[in-house]
Amino acid sequence: QVQLAESGGGLVQAGDSLSLSCAFSGGTFINYAMGWFRQGPGKERAFVAAISWSGSSTSYSDLVLGRFTISRDNNKNMVYLQMDSLKPDDTAVYYCAVITDWPRGASGAWGQGTLVTVSS
């Protein structure tokens, strides 16, 4: 059973950067595309970014394109989200996910998430 563990969240100011990490276990990592989603206060969970199994293809929400970068390390079973030029609207709990329907369809297995709070 796949397990996902997100980390790296915190409180930052607008304009700052933050890097999130997700540890994958319980399966064969290179078999899967991976993604990041987020759920802001009072909002539904929404797609942020996805990366193919090899890392050669990526996809981003228009809201983060040009500011966020998704990457992965297949030797460490890790996926990352580098977030630059953060805005208060980026405040959310961030989740990583296995992508089963490229690029935005998640498998439904979620970790505990990591909270990112961006102050103005």
Side-chain angles (χ1 to χ4, degrees):
Q1 181 177 353
V2 169
Q3 292 186 319
L4 304 167
E6 303 90 344
S7 62
L11 173 62
V12 297
Q13 293 187 331
D16 285 351
S17 297
L18 200 61
S19 182
L20 305 183
S21 300
C22 172
F24 172 102
S25 62
T28 304
F29 187 58
I30 61 171
N31 284 352
Y32 301 109
M34 298 295 296
W36 285 94
F37 292 73
R38 68 186 183 186
Q39 186 167 16
K43 300 180 182 179
E44 294 187 352
R45 186 148 39 197
F47 171 79
V48 174
I51 187 166
S52 63
W53 71 270
S54 66
S56 62
S57 295
T58 57
S59 179
Y60 295 92
S61 161
D62 287 345
L63 296 175
V64 307
L65 185 64
R67 299 188 297 121
F68 290 12
T69 304
I70 189 171
S71 62
R72 65 189 292 161
D73 186 334
N74 287 344
N75 292 319
K76 297 181 179 179
N77 288 6
M78 296 289 293
V79 61
Y80 306 100
L81 186 68
Q82 175 65 37
M83 305 185 294
D84 298 320
S85 303
L86 282 161
K87 305 175 181 180
D89 283 349
D90 295 319
T91 294
V93 178
Y94 284 73
Y95 302 88
C96 68
V98 170
I99 299 297
T100 53
D101 186 11
W102 181 262
R104 304 187 176 211
S107 69
W110 303 101
Q112 82 287 351
T114 188
L115 176 63
V116 174
T117 303
V118 184
S119 64
S120 58

